[in-house]
Amino acid sequence: MQKLPFLFFMLTFLGVGASALAQLGDGKRVQEQRSLVPADQIPPGTPLTPEEALQSFTLARGIKLEVAASEPLVQDPVAIAFGTDGRLWVVEMRGYMPDLDGGGEDAPIGRVVVLSDRDGDRRYDDSQVFLDDLVLPRAILLVDDGALVGAPPELAFWRDTDGDGKADHKVVVATDYGVRVDPRRPHLANPENAPNSLLWAHDNWIYSAHYTKKFRYARGEWETAATEFRGQWGLSQDDSGRLYHNGNSNQLRVDVIFADYLKRNRHYPALSGSHITAAADQWVWPARVTPGINRGYQPDMLREGRLKVFTAACAPWIYRGDLLPQLYGNAFVAEPAGNLVRRNVLIVEDGEVRSRNAYDRQEFIASTDERFRPVNFATGPDGALYIVDMYRGVLQHRISLTTYLRGQSEERELAHPQHWGRIYRVVPADKLAPRAARLAPLTTRQWVERLSHPNAWWRETAQRTLVERAEAAVVPAVRTIAVSGPEPQARVHALWTLAGMDAIDRSTVLAALQDPAPVVRVAGLRISEPFLKDRGRAKLRARALELTKDASPEVQLQAVLTLGEVGDPDVDVAVAEVVRAHPHNTFLGDAFYSGLFGRELGLLERLIAEPAWPNDPDANTVLSGLAQGVFGSRELPAIERILSLAAAMPPAAARRRAALIDGFMSAVPTTRSPLRFSKEPAGWADIKQHAADNERLAELDALMLWPDKPGVAVDAVATPLTPEEQARFDVGNTLFATCAACHHASGRGLDGLGPPLVDSEWVVGSPERLIRIVLHGLRGRIAVRGRSYTGDMPGFDTLDDDQLSSVLTYLRRAWGHTASPIDPSHVRAVRRATAARLDAWTSGELQRVETK
């Protein structure tokens, strides 16, 4: 059974594994909930002062912790950001779980405060409220002269225009940044379902975890575009611009391929390269017994009374500061359920990113204090690593709190006190690490110099500031760094700064493509893409083609991705040869296929007709991949052409023929909708006769229908949509972006988030049930295409009848579905009939609904 975690960070960092969802209301537990840790071995949950808490830590050699801020100065912190003046901005989620029943969680008491160190003693001593009256705020990014703040359902840009230190001007950037808490409908307005972790990436777009939109700020205006869903809580980047995220039980994932590339070709819904597990090791090593987790009564969760594996992994952070050089480039992950911080050493090899625990059966930081709840990180302008500690006893949200964990919380009085919190500073153990209490304002030219700073905070802040100001006078200085800066990281940030200022030119890009550092060549390739189609493209194209054979797998991978933007058949042939010749570059093939939308058949025919194209395993793997894309297109003439080619191949080309059919069979798991031919495809009978894998071929054969096919009753042809229904379908296609966050743009579902919609019996079956699901939500176990899922889907009753009917019409006619469209009047009738319902539906309840 696949288990789907709740979709917001609280599950990520609240000590919850996905199977807790099956325990909603505690009425479906399948085993006795008793503590596996003897009571006399469980320490009391006494809250500690900051000074006492410092004594509770076991630290890795070479570091020490300092308290940078603590209650009452900071309360319930969940995210931080450093301003260019050195002050620390803190998001305080003060309304989260005021008691074990979550009473008053909808109170607007969340806020953003700004901390200052007035006496210069390395500890903040003043807090000023910038923004208050928020409900469960969770994200912040400093932009220009304001702050971008996420507080569901809004993402808003707040500014202080009168200089009093308080926000007084608001620009709403998005209205779907999570769902506002509604205590009447806890399953539908779930605080665990919300985007978070705003990140200004190398490409000058702002990304979030758990969200499918990105934003760009230029010359005072906001721009929005679609992007891929990433992770649960936390988002970070490395020096190459790779994005890192995670899930509650998968501590570190990475986009080896920038995920937006993989959306280019819908013929391949399952290309790999993003959401790649970078950490094979999910074991953790707490410093204390950990009975206080939601599934602490299950033996497989504990090892000698201590958490055994990650269950609340969150906030992956790539440290790139200059104060702790031995940690540079390492990935840090918080595990608040286990009261610890993991340090992962990253290894990049053969185009893959892997990691290992920096210590043998130990952690970077582990505490014996049950209330130590690390939930976020940041690198400061001083180069130190900062840890955000929400410091509280109760982490599990009421929506899935078990009787077991409630009892644990009550026994140790973990629900109180409220509104504590700490910010820790990780510094070297053997030397003083001063921190500037306040940073002096810098001129634009001084910010240009900061592009070369060894601390990534300065480089990234310099890039953002220069892009925001867009002063033409400094472009030559930035260009000089891009071409001849002292370090590769400086050249990378200078390149992206020029791109963000709309000041990048062809000669600078060409210089980047010839740079000795692979990381600069990768950046140059991404930035070169707009130039590869203009009149002066010849030199850049030639250099990009050369880089497909680069000694660096990372450069090679990016060159293939970039050339996919060109759409030139001659380039396709050249790149196909590179992919064939480099089978060990793990993601090279998928990078190649991602850029071939609509050209798969033409390239396949050309390669087969080319005498120099080998008939060896690596060459046939490329042909198989192309055939997979043709099948994924569901274009019947193209599929019949491949079958004809395969059937006509002589016995000497048997392996090649098998490769083509294998490509078709590889696409079978991504589609269940039949392919309806007018007659049996030519050569199909011969292919079946000579096939080696009859079992897999039978799955493919079952998808291929034609009139009078033996043993098959051809389905009735779907009634064409009326113009009005087609208009609703088109609107639904646009609105589906919200659903895609959990179910993927392809409708194939996302592991750990949402089940597939393609060929789902719940989608193409009873309209009565489907309408109820989207109106009120769904919770608990559900079977989809013979596979069991467990999760919690919010309702969308805020959409009107026309909008809901549009989405549902799209779902029932997209991806080859032939189900009837949904009329707004049908939605209206079901809405009225279920108006009194406040809870989400269960599968069992829906199955009892009379169908029409």
Side-chain angles (χ1 to χ4, degrees):
M1 181 184 74
Q2 182 182 18
K3 296 174 180 177
L4 305 182
F6 283 123
L7 301 182
F8 167 58
F9 83 97
M10 284 300 171
L11 185 57
T12 322
F13 76 66
L14 299 190
V16 188
S19 64
L21 305 188
Q23 300 157 4
L24 291 171
D26 220 27
K28 299 180 180 179
R29 62 184 188 270
V30 296
Q31 64 186 101
E32 182 182 0
Q33 296 186 13
R34 62 180 183 83
S35 177
L36 302 178
V37 182
D40 59 359
Q41 294 182 19
I42 303 176
T46 306
L48 305 181
T49 67
E51 289 70 26
E52 291 171 335
L54 284 175
Q55 304 305 310
S56 74
F57 290 106
T58 299
L59 305 177
R61 182 177 299 178
I63 65 164
K64 66 179 179 181
L65 284 184
E66 296 179 347
V67 177
S70 63
E71 69 284 342
L73 205 68
V74 60
Q75 302 174 19
D76 303 296
V78 295
I80 60 175
F82 286 93
T84 57
D85 57 4
R87 295 188 301 165
L88 182 60
W89 296 60
V90 183
V91 177
E92 297 183 334
M93 191 181 281
R94 300 175 69 244
Y96 180 73
M97 284 295 285
D99 54 39
L100 290 172
D101 297 311
E105 196 172 50
D106 59 331
I109 60 174
R111 62 191 185 187
V112 176
V113 300
V114 186
L115 306 185
S116 301
D117 177 7
R118 296 187 179 277
D119 59 13
D121 66 350
R122 305 196 306 278
R123 187 161 177 171
Y124 292 100
D125 49 37
D126 180 74
S127 176
Q128 182 175 6
V129 176
F130 172 76
L131 178 63
D132 54 11
D133 297 331
L134 301 175
V135 177
L136 301 184
R138 62 205 67 207
I140 186 168
L141 179 71
L142 301 184
V143 178
D144 202 358
D145 61 347
L148 189 62
V149 177
E154 291 182 342
L155 179 67
F157 182 51
W158 292 89
R159 298 171 59 234
D160 168 21
T161 61
D162 59 12
D164 67 351
K166 288 197 170 187
D168 52 41
H169 183 266
K170 175 185 180 183
V171 174
V172 176
V173 178
T175 57
D176 60 350
Y177 207 75
V179 180
R180 189 181 176 110
V181 171
D182 183 348
R184 299 171 306 157
R185 312 175 80 179
H187 296 295
L188 305 184
N190 186 346
E192 296 167 352
N193 295 328
N196 59 84
S197 302
L198 296 158
L199 173 72
W200 186 299
H202 279 192
D203 63 1
N204 297 301
W205 284 92
I206 298 168
Y207 297 86
S208 289
H210 201 281
Y211 199 45
T212 56
K213 291 181 182 177
K214 59 182 179 180
F215 307 96
R216 184 160 57 186
Y217 180 81
R219 296 172 177 82
E221 300 294 328
W222 289 96
E223 178 183 354
T224 304
T227 187
E228 190 74 359
F229 184 95
R230 295 175 178 89
Q232 288 185 276
W233 176 255
L235 192 63
S236 185
Q237 64 184 343
D238 63 15
D239 280 344
S240 295
R242 286 181 288 248
L243 298 182
Y244 293 78
H245 39 93
N246 64 9
N248 60 338
S249 58
N250 187 333
Q251 58 136 329
L252 191 62
R253 291 176 177 153
V254 59
D255 291 353
V256 176
I257 293 177
F258 183 62
D260 288 11
Y261 282 117
L262 300 177
K263 300 193 305 177
R264 296 183 294 184
N265 194 342
R266 63 175 179 268
H267 298 167
Y268 297 88
L271 292 175
S272 61
S274 68
H275 298 76
I276 300 301
T277 295
D281 181 9
Q282 303 294 339
W283 287 44
V284 293
W285 307 95
R288 54 162 285 130
V289 294
T290 55
I293 60 174
N294 209 40
R295 291 178 290 153
Y297 55 86
Q298 295 182 354
D300 60 346
M301 291 300 299
L302 301 178
R303 179 203 311 113
E304 297 179 353
R306 304 182 185 201
L307 183 66
K308 183 166 64 175
V309 295
F310 278 101
T311 189
C314 64
W317 184 256
I318 310 301
Y319 172 76
R320 297 183 292 142
D322 57 342
L323 185 62
L324 299 156
Q326 73 276 22
L327 306 182
Y328 194 95
N330 290 179
F332 292 85
V333 176
E335 173 46 278
N339 321 112
L340 59 86
V341 173
R342 164 65 54 86
R343 174 191 169 196
N344 293 287
V345 177
L346 298 181
I347 302 135
V348 181
E349 189 175 52
D350 291 333
E352 294 189 75
V353 179
R354 301 188 302 276
S355 72
R356 62 172 177 82
N357 187 353
Y359 313 98
D360 182 22
R361 301 191 177 194
Q362 294 181 15
E363 301 294 348
F364 180 67
I365 295 173
S367 176
T368 57
D369 183 1
E370 187 170 13
R371 295 172 186 259
F372 171 59
R373 307 295 190 181
V375 297
N376 229 319
F377 302 97
T379 302
D382 58 354
L385 175 65
Y386 285 77
I387 300 174
V388 179
D389 175 12
M390 202 176 182
Y391 202 82
R392 56 172 26 244
V394 175
L395 287 175
Q396 177 65 59
H397 192 261
R398 60 170 172 149
I399 201 168
S400 50
L401 190 71
T402 59
T403 297
Y404 164 80
L405 185 53
R406 185 182 187 105
Q408 290 278 326
S409 301
E410 290 173 342
E411 288 172 11
R412 296 195 294 285
E413 300 180 345
L414 296 179
H416 298 283
Q418 293 278 318
H419 307 318
W420 288 31
R422 287 89 193 261
I423 311 291
Y424 290 106
R425 181 174 178 246
V426 182
V427 298
D430 58 354
K431 63 180 180 180
L432 186 65
R435 177 176 59 80
R438 196 169 184 89
L439 302 176
L442 300 181
T443 66
T444 303
R445 290 195 177 275
Q446 287 174 320
W447 278 115
V448 173
E449 295 171 0
R450 296 305 187 275
L451 289 170
S452 301
H453 201 283
N455 180 356
W457 182 89
W458 285 100
R459 297 195 302 272
E460 292 176 345
T461 306
Q463 176 182 326
R464 174 178 61 80
T465 301
L466 293 169
V467 169
E468 290 166 353
R469 295 182 182 182
E471 295 181 14
V474 301
V475 167
V478 177
R479 188 170 289 134
T480 297
I481 295 176
V483 174
S484 57
E487 298 293 337
Q489 294 89 343
R491 301 196 291 276
V492 167
H493 283 284
L495 284 167
W496 283 113
T497 298
L498 291 171
M501 296 173 70
D502 292 329
I504 194 73
D505 65 332
R506 187 178 291 104
S507 62
T508 303
V509 171
L510 189 57
L513 299 185
Q514 296 168 335
D515 194 281
V519 69
V520 180
R521 299 199 294 278
V522 168
L525 282 162
R526 284 187 65 186
I527 294 170
S528 75
E529 291 169 8
F531 296 99
L532 293 177
K533 297 180 181 180
D534 66 17
R535 291 182 179 180
R537 65 196 179 206
K539 283 187 177 180
L540 286 176
R541 277 199 187 184
R543 180 56 181 155
L545 277 168
E546 290 175 0
L547 292 177
T548 62
K549 302 175 184 178
D550 196 274
S552 164
E554 292 75 39
V555 174
Q556 191 178 63
L557 180 67
Q558 184 58 52
V560 170
L561 289 165
T562 292
L563 287 169
E565 294 291 300
V566 173
D568 185 323
D570 291 334
V571 171
D572 294 342
V573 171
V575 177
E577 171 56 30
V578 171
V579 174
R580 182 201 68 80
H582 295 84
H584 300 298
N585 193 334
T586 307
F587 302 109
L588 203 61
D590 282 357
F592 176 47
Y593 303 132
S594 76
L596 287 177
F597 179 70
R599 305 194 306 281
E600 300 94 339
L601 176 60
L603 178 57
L604 189 149
E605 289 179 314
R606 187 166 172 180
L607 293 178
I608 289 177
E610 175 58 56
W613 185 257
N615 184 16
D616 62 30
D618 294 331
N620 287 335
T621 296
V622 174
L623 296 180
S624 182
L626 293 171
Q628 181 180 348
V630 172
F631 192 89
S633 73
R634 300 182 62 83
E635 295 176 3
L636 301 186
I639 293 171
E640 289 182 286
R641 173 61 177 155
I642 298 291
L643 293 174
S644 297
L645 286 172
M649 288 178 178
R655 289 187 300 177
R656 179 173 286 183
R657 176 167 63 176
L660 297 182
I661 302 306
D662 188 65
F664 276 15
M665 292 192 291
S666 296
V668 168
T670 67
T671 182
R672 295 293 174 186
S673 298
L675 296 166
R676 294 178 171 83
F677 297 89
S678 60
K679 60 181 180 179
E680 181 177 6
W684 180 236
D686 182 67
I687 289 170
K688 288 195 295 182
Q689 182 179 352
H690 294 91
D693 189 344
N694 292 320
E695 184 175 342
R696 290 186 66 202
L697 196 68
E699 296 183 45
L700 177 59
D701 184 60
L703 289 177
M704 300 171 62
L705 305 181
W706 55 86
D708 302 322
K709 182 179 181 180
V712 176
V714 179
D715 297 341
V717 177
T719 303
L721 296 177
T722 66
E724 183 179 4
E725 291 167 344
Q726 183 62 49
R728 282 201 291 273
F729 177 93
D730 295 338
V731 171
N733 188 9
T734 300
L735 294 174
F736 178 70
T738 300
C739 314
C742 296
H743 299 284
H744 198 272
S746 68
R748 309 291 176 187
L750 282 168
D751 283 344
L753 293 172
L757 302 175
V758 175
D759 302 322
S760 167
E761 57 268 45
W762 297 96
V763 172
V764 299
S766 163
E768 296 287 323
R769 294 169 180 165
L770 183 60
I771 294 171
R772 282 166 168 77
I773 291 172
V774 295
L775 278 174
H776 305 296
L778 178 70
R779 62 183 175 89
R781 289 187 177 89
I782 184 170
V784 180
R785 290 180 4 194
R787 188 176 180 184
S788 182
Y789 298 81
T790 302
D792 176 56
M793 171 185 160
F796 293 91
D797 61 346
T798 54
L799 297 180
D800 62 32
D801 298 334
D802 287 329
Q803 290 171 318
L804 283 180
S805 68
S806 296
V807 171
L808 298 182
T809 294
Y810 175 76
L811 295 181
R812 289 167 66 84
R813 282 302 181 95
W815 312 305
H817 293 168
T818 58
S820 61
I822 301 293
D823 191 83
S825 62
H826 198 166
V827 176
R828 189 176 307 117
V830 174
R831 191 191 295 267
R832 289 173 178 169
T834 60
R837 188 173 184 91
L838 298 178
D839 200 0
W841 295 89
T842 66
S843 173
E845 290 174 323
L846 290 169
Q847 288 171 347
R848 293 191 291 271
V849 171
E850 292 186 8
T851 62
K852 296 182 180 180

